[in-house]
Amino acid sequence: MMLSLLLSLLAASQAKALPPPPPPTMIDGLPIAGLPKQALPAKGCAAYLFSTGATKALVAVAGADPAQLRIAVDGKATDYARSAEKTPAGFGFSGSTEYRGGDVTATLDMTITTRGDLTAGAIVSDATLRVDRPGRDSIVLPVAGLIGCV
């Protein structure tokens, strides 16, 4: 009787889903924070980019339509509009894209790789995110991830 009560309590406690941990407030000592879970875009494609250093976290989401980049600089998540692009890479993205807003300029350089086992998306096998702000050091963060399309 006691064993069955313990087993049912254990099963009930495991059935309750724990909330996901909050994203890190700093990635590898840089003033870039992690982002919480992000949804697929309403239309088009988005690139979901994760830091590849010691701290693994979602750090950037680039949308193809609208063309913008979401990152958290100094702990504040902000969307930055595309201001320039070079070298088409596919899925509505370029191999090198610049985004601007306020005093922030972010440059995303990425290599997009398609694979037969992926539908409605691709792999971002190699990428860097550079953040420039006047009067401060530039940040260069290696990232990689996936592109998901609706």
Side-chain angles (χ1 to χ4, degrees):
M1 179 74 164
M2 184 65 135
L3 181 59
S4 66
L5 177 62
L6 286 173
L7 289 175
S8 65
L9 286 173
L10 179 62
S13 70
Q14 290 177 345
K16 292 181 183 176
L18 295 175
T25 58
M26 188 177 286
I27 304 296
D28 298 340
L30 300 172
I32 299 287
L35 296 172
K37 182 178 177 181
Q38 303 287 305
L40 278 171
K43 62 181 180 175
C45 300
Y48 300 87
L49 303 167
F50 297 82
S51 54
T52 60
T55 304
K56 309 278 192 258
L58 177 66
V59 294
V61 177
D65 183 17
Q68 62 187 21
L69 176 72
R70 176 173 295 152
I71 57 174
V73 178
D74 292 330
K76 181 182 176 199
T78 304
D79 292 336
Y80 299 95
R82 180 177 62 204
S83 58
E85 61 184 336
K86 304 175 194 169
T87 319
F91 297 90
F93 295 101
S94 291
S96 182
T97 307
E98 181 180 278
Y99 303 88
R100 288 184 182 263
D103 69 342
V104 173
T105 301
T107 304
L108 177 60
D109 294 310
M110 61 182 176
T111 301
I112 298 172
T113 306
T114 57
R115 290 189 353 195
D117 60 340
L118 291 176
T119 59
I123 299 279
V124 178
S125 55
D126 182 45
T128 56
L129 173 64
R130 178 181 168 145
V131 178
D132 296 302
R133 298 181 289 170
R136 299 186 185 193
D137 289 338
S138 294
I139 300 163
V140 178
L141 184 66
V143 295
L146 295 168
I147 292 176
C149 303
V150 195

